[in-house]
Amino acid sequence: MLQIKNPKFEISVMNKSQYPKNRMPQIVLAGKSNVGKSSFVNCLINRKSLARTSSEPGKTRQINFYNMDDIFYFVDLPGYGYSKMSKAEQQKLGPAIETFLKNSKNINLIILLVDIRHKPSENDKMMMEFIKSTGNRYIVVTSKADKIAKTKVQSYVDDIAKELDVAEDLIFAFSSETKFNKELISDVIAESLLTAKTWDEE
Ligand code: GTP
Ligand code: MG
């Protein structure tokens, strides 16, 4: 169980030079624009709007660090695949995400969110491959599970697992509306923090 007493927004960054210099473990949220990354953070910490959300895709445009009781960060990444963003901005997002995932030394777990209702896009598949290539631990969360019938959730999850080539114990259905699987995913995060890289390990 994650019990966060005092979750705080700490910093929004774009470039490597701006990443926090401390060694707190990072739980990173990745996924397409509008998939529910910021809502996921808010749901897990029981806050309505610490992480900013919107029904308009492209709300999160920088890499946002949320400090959880000085124990770990939730790192809310900008969504990829947002077509309405200006060309210049789109061109910056992909590399900023990749640079972060490649270079941050304190990533403890990467959570890739995909919408349970849709077959993973080419971008989702590319992101999954990229995440695997970084060698970090990861899980996949299929968001918006409230949007489909309960009896169908498992088969949708199974299909997505197959498409992304993810082991079944690494994929979880989730809804920030109904809080479905909130406790289970909190436990997975808490567990990953128990085995965070120690501070002297490089
Ligand atoms: P970007 O910042 O653009 O990358 O988007 P995001 O991935 O952070 O998505 P955000 O959390 O802002 O949510 C986008 C929209 O989806 C909002 O209107 C949310 O209310 C809605 N949403 C998020 N999670 C869920 C969910 O579990 N169920 C339902 N029904 N809606 C959700
Ligand atoms: Mg967001």
Side-chain angles (χ1 to χ4, degrees):
M1 238 311 255
L2 281 180
Q3 275 178 323
I4 314 295
K5 293 199 185 74
N6 189 18
K8 274 187 289 208
F9 167 73
E10 188 166 305
I11 192 173
S12 276
V13 311
M14 207 65 200
N15 302 316
K16 204 168 144 187
S17 61
Q18 304 167 298
Y19 300 168
K21 303 276 184 289
N22 64 54
R23 307 289 304 272
M24 273 202 319
Q26 299 167 347
I27 306 290
V28 181
L29 283 312
K32 191 180 157 211
S33 191
N34 213 38
V35 72
K37 298 175 295 299
S38 301
S39 303
F40 175 92
V41 171
N42 289 331
C43 179
L44 264 78
I45 62 178
N46 301 313
R47 295 294 155 108
K48 277 221 170 64
S49 55
L50 184 71
R52 294 182 65 198
T53 65
S54 165
S55 51
E56 292 283 306
K59 186 68 189 175
T60 310
R61 297 199 176 189
Q62 294 199 309
I63 301 173
N64 291 303
F65 289 78
Y66 296 94
N67 185 325
M68 301 295 132
D69 293 345
D70 289 330
I71 294 169
F72 71 98
Y73 285 115
F74 271 124
V75 183
D76 190 13
L77 294 177
Y80 47 80
Y82 173 45
S83 55
K84 278 194 201 147
M85 201 173 277
S86 75
K87 275 260 152 57
E89 211 160 6
Q90 278 192 53
Q91 278 166 355
K92 273 192 288 179
L93 281 185
I97 296 169
E98 289 192 11
T99 301
F100 175 78
L101 292 174
K102 251 191 223 157
N103 292 289
S104 175
K105 294 206 168 59
N106 304 308
I107 296 176
N108 195 50
L109 178 71
I110 302 174
I111 303 179
L112 176 65
L113 272 81
V114 295
D115 190 318
I116 195 163
R117 296 168 294 175
H118 308 304
K119 227 177 124 165
S121 66
E122 283 311 308
N123 279 333
D124 290 330
K125 288 185 186 172
M126 263 164 45
M127 185 52 70
M128 185 78 267
E129 286 313 306
F130 187 79
I131 289 169
K132 289 176 184 172
S133 79
T134 66
N136 285 297
R137 284 187 290 204
Y138 62 86
I139 59 172
V140 173
V141 164
T142 65
S143 66
K144 309 194 183 184
D146 56 285
K147 298 267 199 187
I148 59 171
K150 271 198 181 141
T151 51
K152 292 196 177 143
V153 166
Q154 193 55 49
S155 74
Y156 277 62
V157 168
D158 291 346
D159 287 350
I160 292 171
K162 222 177 266 165
E163 286 286 321
L164 294 177
D165 194 17
V166 172
E168 62 184 50
D169 57 339
L170 295 182
I171 186 164
F172 305 89
F174 173 73
S175 166
S176 54
E177 281 292 306
T178 64
K179 305 190 194 310
F180 176 65
N181 271 348
K182 178 188 164 190
E183 299 304 326
L184 177 61
I185 296 169
S186 289
D187 285 347
V188 171
I189 293 172
E191 179 95 21
S192 85
L193 289 166
L194 289 176
T195 52
K197 285 183 254 174
T198 62
W199 284 28
D200 353 271
E201 250 179 83
E202 199 46 285

